[in-house]
Amino acid sequence: NPPDPDISDQNAVASASASAPSPPPPPPPLPPVLADDRVSVSVEACLKPSSTARIDDVRSAIERMLEKRSLSYIDGPIPVPLDDPFLTENVERIRICDTDEWVQNHEILLFWQVKPVVHVFQLSEEGPCEDLSGDGQLPSFNEWMLPAKEFDGMWESLIYESGLKQRLLRYAASALLFTEKGIDPFLVSWNRIILLHGPPGTGKTSLCKALAQKLSIRFNSRYTQSQLVEVNAHSLFSKWFSESGKLVAKLFQKIQEMVEEENNLVFVLIDEVESLAAARKAALSGSEPSDSIRVVNALLTQMDKLKSSPNVIILTTSNITTAIDIAFVDRADIKAYVGPPTLQARYEILRSCLQELVKKGILSNFQDCDHLVIPNFASMKEKLSMPEMQEAQTKFHLCKQLLEAAEACEGMSGRSLRKLPFLTHAALSNPYNCDPSKFLCKMVDTARGELSEL
Ligand code: ADP
């Protein structure tokens, strides 16, 4: 047993005061000064499906390429250099990620202020592996190899204010680091359970998947393989409970096998966890067979067991916005409320929709370039408030219309917003080669119609 720290400290004090005065010990060496106060910025490079290059080689080549360039660092793609045959052969795209928060609070980041951290990955094209052993209809869980092609771009497409995405990413990164360094959980406690709660359609499930995908990329030098197991708690518990027991056992046996491989990073996504609470309540009130409570308890026990494995992150979602009456909510370290999109988020979501429709030729582009440039919310607000810009309103006509549309969509979920352009298109009397301005007018009408039906 390790000595009790308090007792050994007391002994140390006692023996020090008993000994004769001695010359003061030499001062300890100064800690090394960290001269590097550059901002770490992630640069992600996606390999071509055909590439067989070593990730380390590609990373070094990109680091050399970045050293040679005087880039300003802002989220977005960096062209793959055509004069580098190794990179052009192997790399599909390179992207600077997650500088948004910094750029909003400070200003643009120039290359000498930045320490690029390069992450190279290849997408898995395997698709989901479904488990249909339940009632043969609904899969009780899906399994994905990460990073998966299906989740590519999901992180970027989710728009939230207040740094929610960054907070989740930093939280998960700290949890993995503490685990990696073997921090004693009795001294510093933390676990790897995240709960996202809020109204339906606010992107919680997508955010969990996108976070798992991001982490699989960011931690691929430590964990050579990452997997996501998606459990639909609702479908797990809507089956006969005698079946549920077997399913839970089977599911966790599978997860346990994955976790035993220490280079494997495993994400377990449990959607709609409130159905666990509902099952428990129903059992207590006697409206469900009493073994349902055993199943819920078995699931919670299994989750607790999993917590001791360092390479698991449990992601949960709930549509209940008030307090969730369920035991393991207390176990979640991070509980984040995900609300309906704010005006700025609505503007940005609709802006991304419009840009996609122009890019794919559904809407005509009057601007003289291959994609539609609509200023983002922050710069649009700034420009509209300048008197000289108010005179030059035609230039910002589209922004203003987009802002009106975003205002008209107050109360809509992110899911409804992403559907709105489709519904608008279907409502057009002449849907061919429509111009963005007319489209936006129609969109306001469609939004009002949709909201009136809520
Ligand atoms: P939830 O789990 O909260 O019900 P989902 O993850 O199923 O929500 O969201 C459905 C879709 O709605 C997402 O895939 C995304 O396209 C869209 N969506 C929701 N919220 C947002 C958001 N804040 N930004 C961008 N898209 C969003």
Side-chain angles (χ1 to χ4, degrees), residues 3 17 137 171 206 224 241 258 302-303 318 341 344 397 410 449:
S17 57
Q137 300 283 317
Y171 163 78
S206 313
T224 46
F241 278 102
M258 291 174 176
Q302 294 281 11
M303 277 175 65
S318 169
Q344 171 159 2
H397 184 58
E410 183 165 7

Side-chain angles (χ1 to χ4, degrees), residues 5 7 13 32 34 80 111 126 135 201 228 292 302 320 330 345 379 427 436:
I7 295 174
V13 172
L34 293 175
V80 180
F111 68 99
E126 266 178 40
D135 53 12
L228 169 69
S292 69
Q302 294 281 11
I320 306 252
D330 296 337
S379 65

Side-chain angles (χ1 to χ4, degrees), residues 107-169:
E107 71 267 34
I108 208 153
L109 279 167
L110 296 170
F111 68 99
W112 48 269
Q113 298 169 301
V114 166
K115 187 174 161 204
V117 183
V118 180
H119 305 278
V120 179
F121 64 96
Q122 196 163 32
L123 293 171
S124 158
E125 299 192 348
E126 266 178 40
C129 170
E130 290 182 354
D131 177 88
L132 294 168
S133 60
D135 53 12
Q137 300 283 317
L138 270 176
S140 53
F141 60 91
N142 275 330
E143 186 193 333
W144 311 76
M145 292 302 290
L146 296 179
K149 196 168 174 229
E150 290 83 352
F151 306 148
D152 191 30
M154 205 182 238
W155 180 262
E156 289 73 23
S157 78
L158 291 166
I159 299 165
Y160 298 100
E161 277 173 78
S162 70
L164 173 68
K165 291 198 297 182
Q166 301 313 321
R167 193 154 64 90
L168 289 176
L169 199 55

Side-chain angles (χ1 to χ4, degrees), residues 199-202 340-341 346 407-417 419-420 423 445-454:
T202 48
R346 297 198 298 275
E407 276 164 351
C409 294
E410 183 165 7
M412 274 194 184
S413 69
R415 184 189 285 148
S416 312
L417 275 173
K419 264 187 213 148
L420 187 62
L423 297 178
D445 294 344
T446 314
R448 293 201 176 117
E450 285 293 298
L451 281 166
S452 68
E453 281 174 26
L454 283 183

Side-chain angles (χ1 to χ4, degrees), residues 45-48 58 62 80 87-94:
C46 179
L47 290 179
K48 290 183 177 169
V58 179
I62 293 176
V80 180
L87 287 181
T88 39
E89 192 188 324
N90 291 293
V91 176
E92 193 159 276
R93 60 192 148 85
I94 308 176

